[in-house]
Amino acid sequence: MNHTIFFSQNFLLAFALTNKVCGFISRTVPICFYLRVYTGKIKIQQLQEWRKVLIREVCDSNKKVFYEGKQSWEDIPKHELDHLIVDDNHGIIYCFVPKVACTNLKRIMFVLRMGKPYQDPMSIPGNMVHPTSKLTYLSDLPKLKHYTKFLFVRNPFVRLISAFRDKFQSRNELYYNRIGRDILRLYGKHQNPPLTVDEAFASGILPSFHNFIQYLLDPETRKNSPFDYHWRQMYHLCHPCRIQYDFIGHQENLQEEAEQLLRILRLEDDIKFPPSYENITTVDFVLDWFQTLTLEERRNLYKLYKLDFKLFGYPEPHELLDG
């Protein structure tokens, strides 16, 4: 079967299944309509195949961007593999993407590493599974060939909103000092921003979402170092064009797909994925956040994250980009 033809005929259906509650296929046709019609007819395995076909097509159409003359996973520098968590006992590799259910997915990897009897993942404090934890990260490249590899992704713009809320709308002293004060000074017209995050909250002088987007769009931000990994493009973190993932999950359908992943790993009787909240990602939700951005800013932001949209099956957000 010609994969290109197969994919083009089924793309809207695959996308509808991929994005359970996150928006509209067009301006007037809700994704949930397609879900009501097709959920019982299409298996997750088929959806996984569609996602893999899409990634291959996008990668092959953008070889200069993704490969730079080197197409093998063996060519990936080791310092770019620091998002790949390994469980040698079960032969599993998880590429974690911040702001995409990574705390709970890391909890799963943590309890697997500890061995049987497996703990309840929710019994593991969140601060134990983040960068300072004792999780094992990839150091032996050949494992990529033999281990089961998975990642979870999310609508790129919704991920940005989540990152902003987490780092700049909460009392995060580290991010306020490292980035927030510069954002206020450069884009918020505050020459002398509050010295601490507590002072910033007390005075109400905080980076706005518009300021944050201005920071992302400024070429100077990326001049000397890549984006912080909470808003770095997902393909930069997980290299889907060089690493052939066995399972590509979407946060928009997190609970169902995480449970399917555990079944694939034959762990469904041993570990239960922590309950997840209902995703509130609607078109209106995103529009509300983007209303302070100019049309040019929206379009430039899409250019920054365009390849994430294309690789992982998220449609171009015309409701934000059409003048």
Side-chain angles (χ1 to χ4, degrees), residues 139-203:
S139 60
D140 186 3
L141 283 173
K143 292 177 182 177
L144 284 172
K145 184 176 181 179
H146 302 291
Y147 282 27
T148 299
K149 299 168 287 297
F150 74 93
L151 78 159
F152 274 75
V153 296
R154 188 179 193 178
N155 179 291
F157 281 175
V158 178
R159 179 171 169 251
L160 282 184
I161 294 169
S162 178
F164 171 76
R165 294 174 69 179
D166 183 38
K167 302 307 176 188
F168 302 111
Q169 286 196 328
S170 63
R171 295 177 185 269
N172 191 311
E173 191 75 47
L174 175 64
Y175 274 80
Y176 178 76
N177 289 332
R178 201 177 82 186
I179 298 173
R181 295 189 74 245
D182 284 340
I183 289 178
L184 285 170
R185 181 174 53 81
L186 294 171
Y187 315 105
K189 298 180 180 179
H190 294 282
Q191 294 303 313
N192 296 294
L195 293 177
T196 69
V197 71
D198 286 339
E199 291 176 9
F201 270 84
S203 64

Side-chain angles (χ1 to χ4, degrees), residues 51-222:
R51 290 175 182 170
K52 294 171 188 176
V53 168
L54 173 59
I55 287 175
R56 289 197 298 270
E57 290 182 346
V58 175
C59 292
D60 289 344
S61 299
N62 297 271
K63 289 183 177 179
K64 290 184 178 180
V65 176
F66 292 121
Y67 298 126
E68 298 177 348
K70 299 178 180 179
Q71 299 191 27
S72 170
W73 49 266
E74 296 172 307
D75 297 316
I76 303 174
K78 285 192 176 182
H79 70 272
E80 293 184 14
L81 297 172
D82 56 1
H83 278 250
L84 296 170
I85 299 172
V86 179
D87 174 21
D88 287 316
N89 291 331
H90 299 86
I92 300 170
I93 295 176
Y94 161 48
C95 184
F96 75 91
V97 178
K99 309 315 302 175
V100 187
C102 72
T103 298
N104 282 341
L105 289 163
K106 284 183 177 181
R107 284 181 168 127
I108 297 291
M109 298 298 289
F110 189 92
V111 300
L112 287 176
R113 180 178 178 274
M114 298 300 291
K116 292 186 176 182
Y118 299 121
Q119 295 177 245
D120 177 1
M122 286 305 292
S123 70
I124 308 300
N127 60 8
M128 288 185 65
V129 298
H130 286 301
T132 56
S133 72
K134 296 182 179 179
L135 288 168
T136 302
Y137 295 82
L138 186 68
S139 60
D140 186 3
L141 283 173
K143 292 177 182 177
L144 284 172
K145 184 176 181 179
H146 302 291
Y147 282 27
T148 299
K149 299 168 287 297
F150 74 93
L151 78 159
F152 274 75
V153 296
R154 188 179 193 178
N155 179 291
F157 281 175
V158 178
R159 179 171 169 251
L160 282 184
I161 294 169
S162 178
F164 171 76
R165 294 174 69 179
D166 183 38
K167 302 307 176 188
F168 302 111
Q169 286 196 328
S170 63
R171 295 177 185 269
N172 191 311
E173 191 75 47
L174 175 64
Y175 274 80
Y176 178 76
N177 289 332
R178 201 177 82 186
I179 298 173
R181 295 189 74 245
D182 284 340
I183 289 178
L184 285 170
R185 181 174 53 81
L186 294 171
Y187 315 105
K189 298 180 180 179
H190 294 282
Q191 294 303 313
N192 296 294
L195 293 177
T196 69
V197 71
D198 286 339
E199 291 176 9
F201 270 84
S203 64
I205 299 175
L206 295 163
S208 68
F209 184 66
H210 186 204
N211 295 156
F212 174 59
I213 299 304
Q214 289 174 301
Y215 163 77
L216 296 181
L217 294 177
D218 190 338
E220 291 296 316
T221 301
R222 305 181 302 280

Side-chain angles (χ1 to χ4, degrees), residues 264-309:
I264 291 171
L265 299 175
R266 299 181 180 179
L267 293 168
E268 72 275 17
D269 294 330
D270 300 311
I271 297 176
K272 299 301 179 185
F273 188 78
S276 57
Y277 63 87
E278 185 70 15
N279 196 293
I280 60 172
T281 312
T282 63
V283 171
D284 288 341
F285 172 81
V286 178
L287 283 171
D288 285 345
W289 278 94
F290 277 68
Q291 63 183 343
T292 58
L293 276 60
T294 67
L295 182 59
E296 181 181 10
E297 287 170 333
R298 296 178 186 190
R299 289 174 173 173
N300 287 335
L301 189 67
Y302 177 70
K303 290 177 183 177
L304 270 182
Y305 292 91
K306 180 177 181 178
L307 291 175
D308 271 353
F309 276 92

Side-chain angles (χ1 to χ4, degrees), residues 230-282:
H230 288 90
W231 44 85
R232 194 176 307 166
Q233 291 89 338
M234 293 181 285
Y235 77 86
H236 276 312
L237 299 174
C238 292
H239 308 283
C241 291
R242 298 193 192 185
I243 298 174
Q244 187 173 343
Y245 286 93
D246 302 286
F247 188 92
I248 304 146
H250 281 228
Q251 177 155 322
E252 288 78 11
N253 198 26
L254 176 62
Q255 200 70 37
E256 181 181 350
E257 296 196 22
E259 291 169 2
Q260 175 66 13
L261 173 64
L262 290 174
R263 286 192 290 272
I264 291 171
L265 299 175
R266 299 181 180 179
L267 293 168
E268 72 275 17
D269 294 330
D270 300 311
I271 297 176
K272 299 301 179 185
F273 188 78
S276 57
Y277 63 87
E278 185 70 15
N279 196 293
I280 60 172
T281 312
T282 63

